[in-house]
């Protein structure tokens, strides 16, 4: 016979229920965050569209040597990786997946690696590794802004220009839907004009009506083509990082929602099992008591 | 003819109006944009941008704090694309003052410790100074 006493089962049910309340609350917080970020994505879209249009105005007149950011190095010795992840855990295998993917990617490149870690979990992981950390960004959800991505851009552009790194890659999760995200990596420095125009094409950027008539070359570029190009490319990098941070934050919120929902469901099934056990134990004790009474009555006859 | 002016920051459309002219700051100095200016694309400094005779301000001048970015015009329309822009009445003077002091402290500390990011602190200081300048208007 099971030795479960009524009190201990009741206690366990209560503790599981408490946990369930926490996981449910976390699920809701993640859901609210997800919606907030989705709204943000929507708002930032018009900025991105206009920036792309301006790029489209400038791209055709560029030959590819206006900015050092467009020139690839014949020999790549050191590579910087911008790894984007979460600040906190409790979002399933989200961080583990990113770290595994990033480590594999870095190993595949097989060059001296430097890292820009975005997200506290990434900072913690890469601190333990022998890579040089160029920049640590934590508390992404709150510090997330264009000035932040500008600062990251400044850092990687600086490192690229002074030759301490020869290439820069971004590693980040791509949001598919709440349940799914995939890992994505791409080269952000040196930039190549064909890649940018391909991307603009993919996003279906069309020049505004007035500029269409002008056939792109009509704009005077101030103060001169090279300076403006450099400036625009930096804005482009910053905006790209911004977009990918948004992807990261959305994926994270989605992953956390799913993980927390699973935990809540799990807690519910534990509660169900325990309740059954509790009821059985209670019934058993009642039956035993009844038997006692009936037995006594029989004996008294 | 008036210029159509649209100021777009990452998180919102700050202004969508018409103006007689625009005074802005490029890296190599101040310039004025009038209607029928030749089409131009120019980067902006973290500086004040003034819309002269802006419809949004009742045909008076409308100053704006623009935190860097790019300006594009085709002679009829002006688009200012910036990471952040504020109207003077939106600026919290106390906060800007606190930000300025914090940035100055960080810059002073940056000379001692490497933990603090100097470029970020300097950008913060420039933004704070611009905000304060706008509130003195």
């Amino acid at each position: 016979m099971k030795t479960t006493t009524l009190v201990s089962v009741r206690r366990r049910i209560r503790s599981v229920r408490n946990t369930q309340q926490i996981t449910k609350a976390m699920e809701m917080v993640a859901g609210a965050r997800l919606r907030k970020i989705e709204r943000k994505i929507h708002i930032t879209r018009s900025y991105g569209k206009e920036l792309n249009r301006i790029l489209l105005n400038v791209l055709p007149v560029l030959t590819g040597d206006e900015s050092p950011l467009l020139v690839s190095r014949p020999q790549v010795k050191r590579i910087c990786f911008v790894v984007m992840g979460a600040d906190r855990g409790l979002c399933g295998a989200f961080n583990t997946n990113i770290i595994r993917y990033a480590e594999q990617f870095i190993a595949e490149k097989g060059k001296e690696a430097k890292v820009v870690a975005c997200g506290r979990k990434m900072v913690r992981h890469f601190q333990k590794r022998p890579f040089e950390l160029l920049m640590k960004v934590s508390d992404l959800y709150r510090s997330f802004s264009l000035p932040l991505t500008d600062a990251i851009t400044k850092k990687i552009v600086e490192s690229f220009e002074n030759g301490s790194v020869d290439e820069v890659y971004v590693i980040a999760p791509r949001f598919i839907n709440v349940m799914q995200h995939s890992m994505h990596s791409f080269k952000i420095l040196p930039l190549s004009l064909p890649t940018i125009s391909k991307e603009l094409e993919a996003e279906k950027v069309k020049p505004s009506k007035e500029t269409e008539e002008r056939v792109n070359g009509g704009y005077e570029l101030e103060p001169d083509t090279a300076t403006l190009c450099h400036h625009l490319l930096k804005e482009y990098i910053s905006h790209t990082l911004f977009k990918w941070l948004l992807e990261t934050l959305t994926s994270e919120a989605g992953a956390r929602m799913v993980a927390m929902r699973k935990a809540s469901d799990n807690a519910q099934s534990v509660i169900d099992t325990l309740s059954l056990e509790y009821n059985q134990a209670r019934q058993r004790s009642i039956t035993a008591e009844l038997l006692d009474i009936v037995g006594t009555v029989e004996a008294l006859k | 003819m008036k210029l159509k002016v649209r100021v777009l920051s990452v998180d919102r459309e700050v202004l969508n109006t018409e103006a007689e002219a625009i005074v802005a700051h490029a890296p190599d100095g101040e310039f004025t944009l009038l209607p029928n200016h030749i089409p131009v694309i120019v980067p902006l400094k973290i500086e004040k941008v003034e819309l002269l005779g802006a419809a949004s301000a009742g045909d008076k001048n409308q100053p704006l704090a623009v935190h860097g970015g790019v300006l594009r015009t085709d002679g009829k329309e002006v688009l200012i694309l910036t990471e952040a822009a504020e109207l003077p009445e939106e600026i919290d003077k106390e906060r800007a003052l606190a930000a300025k002091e914090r940035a100055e402290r960080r810059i002073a500390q940056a000379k001692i410790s490497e933990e603090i990011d100097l470029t970020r602190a300097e950008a913060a200081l420039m933004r704070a100074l611009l905000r304060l300048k706008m509130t003195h208007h």
Side-chain angles (χ1 to χ4, degrees):
Chain A
M1 195 183 146
K2 271 186 185 168
T3 53
T4 40
T5 63
L6 285 176
V7 183
S8 76
V9 178
R10 204 156 46 203
R11 219 174 266 152
R12 277 180 65 198
I13 292 179
R14 202 183 307 143
S15 112
V16 175
R17 190 162 287 147
N18 282 341
T19 314
Q20 192 191 26
Q21 268 167 359
I22 296 171
T23 56
K24 266 191 180 152
M26 288 181 80
E27 185 194 330
M28 260 148 47
V29 171
R33 226 171 231 213
L34 188 71
R35 273 188 296 278
K36 233 188 211 164
I37 303 164
E38 271 175 345
R39 228 179 0 248
K40 226 175 198 168
I41 289 180
H42 191 72
I43 301 167
T44 51
R45 207 163 279 158
S46 58
Y47 179 89
K49 207 169 81 190
E50 291 299 342
L51 180 63
N52 284 341
R53 270 191 187 155
I54 293 187
L55 275 168
L56 207 63
N57 292 142
V58 178
L59 277 184
V61 297
L62 300 181
T63 53
D65 52 7
E66 280 82 3
S67 163
L69 304 182
L70 291 167
V71 183
S72 35
R73 313 248 159 98
Q75 221 189 357
V76 177
K77 282 194 208 135
R78 285 168 293 248
I79 304 182
C80 170
F81 299 89
V82 181
V83 187
M84 300 180 179
D87 276 313
R88 267 174 283 167
L90 287 178
C91 42
F94 184 72
N95 288 311
T96 330
N97 283 345
I98 296 174
I99 288 170
R100 196 191 308 132
Y101 181 91
E103 287 286 354
Q104 202 186 342
F105 189 76
I106 293 170
E108 262 169 34
K109 291 281 165 204
K111 300 283 189 312
E112 192 189 323
K114 298 184 181 193
V115 173
V116 173
C118 306
R120 200 172 291 121
K121 287 276 171 185
M122 300 300 120
V123 174
R124 287 230 182 103
H125 173 82
F126 285 105
Q127 259 169 350
K128 286 185 233 142
R129 307 279 292 131
F131 310 136
E132 187 191 333
L133 269 179
L134 288 182
M135 201 172 167
K136 300 177 242 176
V137 185
S138 36
D139 212 356
L140 276 185
Y141 183 73
R142 268 197 296 151
S143 63
F144 166 70
S145 61
L146 213 55
L148 172 73
T149 54
D150 273 351
I152 301 175
T153 308
K154 212 163 189 173
K155 188 82 204 176
I156 57 177
V157 165
E158 232 168 57
S159 311
F160 181 76
E161 283 182 329
N162 69 24
S164 66
V165 297
D166 301 312
E167 276 180 345
V168 182
Y169 285 83
V170 174
I171 302 171
R174 183 205 288 270
F175 181 76
I176 301 171
N177 56 39
V178 179
M179 309 285 289
Q180 284 175 299
H181 54 88
S182 64
M183 289 308 300
H184 189 64
S185 54
F186 61 98
K187 195 200 278 180
I188 195 160
L189 272 178
L191 287 163
S192 85
L193 293 176
T195 328
I196 300 177
S197 34
K198 216 184 284 169
E199 198 183 314
L200 296 185
E201 233 165 75
E203 293 194 13
K204 298 196 180 69
V205 182
K206 297 216 172 64
S208 54
K209 254 185 244 147
E210 308 82 65
T211 54
E212 210 164 11
E213 293 158 18
R214 243 173 250 295
V215 201
N216 307 313
Y219 280 95
E220 194 94 345
L221 307 178
E222 291 277 337
D224 56 81
T225 316
T227 318
L228 180 75
C229 166
H230 195 66
H231 183 86
L232 277 176
L233 288 177
K234 278 200 275 193
E235 300 252 326
Y236 171 78
I237 295 172
S238 183
H239 190 255
T240 308
L241 292 174
F242 189 86
K243 260 193 331 213
W244 282 98
L245 277 179
L246 270 176
E247 292 274 341
T248 309
L249 287 169
T250 344
S251 309
E252 181 203 344
R256 176 161 296 121
M257 248 176 90
V258 171
M260 287 300 110
R261 184 172 306 154
K262 273 192 191 143
S264 307
D265 292 350
N266 211 7
Q268 190 56 49
S269 77
V270 172
I271 290 173
D272 290 348
T273 323
L274 285 176
S275 307
L276 188 66
E277 216 171 279
Y278 174 78
N279 289 337
Q280 277 173 346
R282 196 192 49 185
Q283 195 55 53
R284 216 166 22 237
S285 77
I286 293 170
T287 316
E289 250 170 69
L290 267 178
L291 276 178
D292 259 0
I293 296 167
V294 174
T296 326
V297 172
E298 281 298 316
L300 283 176
K301 269 182 189 168
Chain B
M1 196 192 89
K2 279 189 163 189
L3 281 164
K4 275 196 186 133
V5 188
R6 206 167 148 224
V7 181
L8 201 62
S9 75
V10 194
D11 49 357
R12 68 194 173 119
E13 190 179 79
V14 183
L15 210 61
N16 192 350
T17 182
E18 293 190 332
E20 307 277 355
I22 295 176
V23 182
H25 294 260
D28 51 1
E30 196 181 82
F31 65 96
T32 307
L33 261 178
L34 291 162
N36 294 324
H37 192 282
I38 47 162
V40 66
I41 299 176
V42 58
L44 293 178
K45 283 209 312 194
I46 301 182
E47 249 300 354
K48 186 167 90 172
V49 167
E50 191 138 29
L51 312 182
L52 306 180
S56 66
D59 290 329
K60 291 210 179 69
N61 295 353
Q62 170 74 69
L64 262 174
V66 173
H67 300 263
V70 208
L71 180 148
R72 182 191 70 187
T73 182
D74 59 1
K76 290 177 234 142
E77 288 186 1
V78 179
L79 174 74
I80 293 177
L81 213 54
T82 174
E83 66 182 44
E86 289 141 341
L87 303 171
E89 58 267 27
E90 291 169 345
I91 294 171
D92 184 341
K93 197 174 171 185
E94 302 287 311
R95 232 182 106 191
L97 202 63
K100 173 183 166 259
E101 278 159 12
R102 194 171 52 239
E104 280 171 346
R105 223 169 28 241
R106 303 206 92 183
I107 290 172
Q109 278 170 5
K111 287 177 184 126
I112 313 162
S113 108
E114 278 192 11
E115 274 291 293
I116 289 166
D117 201 325
L118 188 64
T119 50
R120 241 169 117 179
E122 276 171 352
L125 179 64
M126 265 155 80
R127 283 196 296 272
L129 286 176
L130 171 62
R131 288 198 175 109
L132 286 174
K133 188 170 146 192
M134 300 294 295
T135 54
H136 283 309
H137 194 74

